[in-house]
Amino acid sequence: MSTVHQHDALSDDATTRLREIAERLRSWQGPFVVIGHVDPDGDAVGSVLCVTRALRRLGKSVSAPITPPRFLGFLAEPGELCDPLETLPDDTLLMVLDCDLARATGAPLEGAALVVNLDHHPGNPGDAELHLVQPQLAATAVLVKHLLDELGVDWDSHLATPCLCGILSDTGTFRYANTDRHTLEVAGALIESGVDYPELTDRLQWRHPDYFRRLASVLATTRFHFDGALVTIHQDAAMRAAHDASDDDSNDFVGIVRYAEGTQVAGYLREIEEGVKVSLRSRQGFSARRVCAALGGGGHEVAAGARLRGVDLVQAEALLKEAVAEELAR
Ligand SMILES: [Mn+2]
């Protein structure tokens, strides 16, 4: 595995663009709406909250229509976030964070006076009027940190905590391959500006008590295939119904079994209304993306997913094994 990491901050071009964006934000007199992607994660929620708080400090009128998953609910104060908007107020500057325009949710894109898009996903086509897409950055929150620096805000824990949450979320608390010197330096600066780091990392692991009962029932389904190269877990409709915890909380189960010795790829199969949802996590060198593409889905090299329509768990597992066998033979 040889990954070339970008150790420097942004390129000169990117810095110029970021200054331009900061200038537009500062001089904008109309309302702001700040949104993220469907199934928002810590980077989407953290980036939206951080930008929202900074703009409000600059005296701007800001709506943030985003609904955090239960385990991230602690980040927001009552009244800070709102329900999805059906229409945009006149003269709105719409900020789309941590996704391209196609994955954005919370407000319609139509009717925005200006759309600004900050993201780090490599597939972002950069079709917003004003955009900065930086795939070498570990999180959109890193870009948000630079934006707020350009805006000249005074960093404190109120701003730095959601920003650091975005970085922790997208780097798996500095465990993933996207953790580089730049990421750690930005995180260090955020911690220095007053984040209660042990409190934040502890709080990010809190889960509904039912989460642990569900974890136990799902882990009881652990099976190894291909001499352990593939490990699978599953959850059927009855197991899901037995517990209160919201399903987005169970996304990280697959990451647990991925740590089984000798495993190259871990699969989590969940019975859903229209069939089976497959989530894969792999080690470097095994393409979860290609396996999921073969199943009609997609994603990153080491984290990908697919929805298999009209099949049951047994059929889904057979299809997954077939696709994994092909990838193992490459
Ligand atoms: Mn992200």
Side-chain angles (χ1 to χ4, degrees):
M1 166 188 128
S2 68
T3 311
V4 178
H5 288 302
Q6 169 113 2
H7 290 292
D8 299 317
L10 305 175
S11 69
D12 290 349
D13 280 357
T15 302
T16 304
R17 181 81 63 88
L18 198 64
R19 291 214 171 111
E20 192 188 331
I21 291 171
E23 195 39 57
R24 293 297 290 274
L25 301 186
R26 225 188 332 256
S27 61
W28 194 263
Q29 298 297 318
F32 289 75
V33 174
V34 188
I35 58 175
H37 54 76
V38 287
D39 298 332
D41 56 13
D43 193 21
V45 174
S47 295
V48 166
L49 254 181
C50 183
V51 167
T52 296
R53 288 175 178 176
L55 290 172
R56 283 180 180 153
R57 275 193 199 180
L58 295 174
K60 311 292 185 188
S61 156
V62 191
S63 305
I66 189 168
T67 308
R70 182 193 165 87
F71 77 99
L72 292 172
F74 74 95
L75 283 170
E77 285 164 19
E80 272 196 300
L81 306 176
C82 65
D83 290 334
L85 303 179
E86 308 245 310
T87 57
L88 293 177
D90 284 346
D91 206 25
T92 291
L93 190 156
L94 179 67
M95 288 197 77
V96 176
L97 302 180
D98 198 37
C99 62
D100 58 30
L101 303 186
R103 271 191 90 213
T105 189
L109 304 176
E110 302 78 39
L114 177 65
V115 178
V116 176
N117 183 202
L118 298 184
D119 190 20
H120 71 130
H121 288 93
N124 189 317
D127 51 356
E129 207 172 330
L130 202 50
H131 61 266
L132 187 55
V133 180
Q134 297 285 287
Q136 84 281 7
L137 297 182
T140 296
V142 174
L143 201 47
V144 165
K145 165 72 167 68
H146 296 313
L147 174 70
L148 266 59
D149 286 342
E150 290 296 332
L151 282 170
V153 302
D154 289 324
W155 282 96
D156 59 16
S157 67
H158 200 56
L159 293 172
T161 300
C163 194
L164 185 59
C165 168
I167 296 172
L168 291 170
S169 175
D170 272 20
T171 62
T173 313
F174 308 124
R175 281 176 294 127
Y176 302 157
N178 58 4
T179 305
D180 57 16
R181 181 194 192 103
H182 183 60
T183 313
L184 291 169
E185 281 173 353
V186 167
L190 291 169
I191 290 170
E192 214 171 53
S193 54
V195 175
D196 188 337
Y197 186 66
E199 162 73 14
L200 177 62
T201 53
D202 180 53
R203 199 56 228 260
L204 282 171
Q205 300 301 320
W206 287 20
R207 296 295 182 272
H208 188 286
D210 255 6
Y211 166 97
F212 300 94
R213 297 192 186 95
R214 191 207 290 252
L215 176 62
S217 70
V218 170
L219 286 188
T221 70
T222 302
R223 293 227 309 254
F224 296 94
H225 317 264
F226 306 123
D227 291 329
L230 166 67
V231 56
T232 58
I233 51 176
H234 69 256
Q235 172 183 257
D236 62 27
M239 290 158 70
R240 177 206 288 247
H243 303 297
D244 269 351
S246 72
D247 199 49
D248 47 39
D249 283 0
S250 81
N251 286 329
D252 50 359
F253 291 178
V254 65
I256 297 173
V257 286
R258 196 199 70 115
Y259 284 115
E261 282 177 15
T263 288
Q264 293 188 53
V265 59
Y268 180 22
L269 293 87
R270 263 176 283 187
E271 205 167 59
I272 53 172
E273 192 100 345
E274 65 266 36
V276 174
K277 178 176 167 183
V278 179
S279 304
L280 290 191
R281 299 290 181 274
S282 65
R283 295 234 154 75
Q284 299 276 340
F286 185 98
S287 178
R289 180 187 58 75
R290 268 201 300 265
V291 170
C292 286
L295 297 172
H300 302 285
E301 282 305 299
V302 296
R307 279 168 191 262
L308 307 178
R309 284 167 222 287
V311 300
D312 62 21
L313 282 169
V314 174
Q315 293 167 317
E317 188 183 286
L319 289 168
L320 173 64
K321 284 178 68 175
E322 208 176 300
V324 166
E326 222 160 279
E327 188 59 27
L328 285 170
R330 278 177 74 96

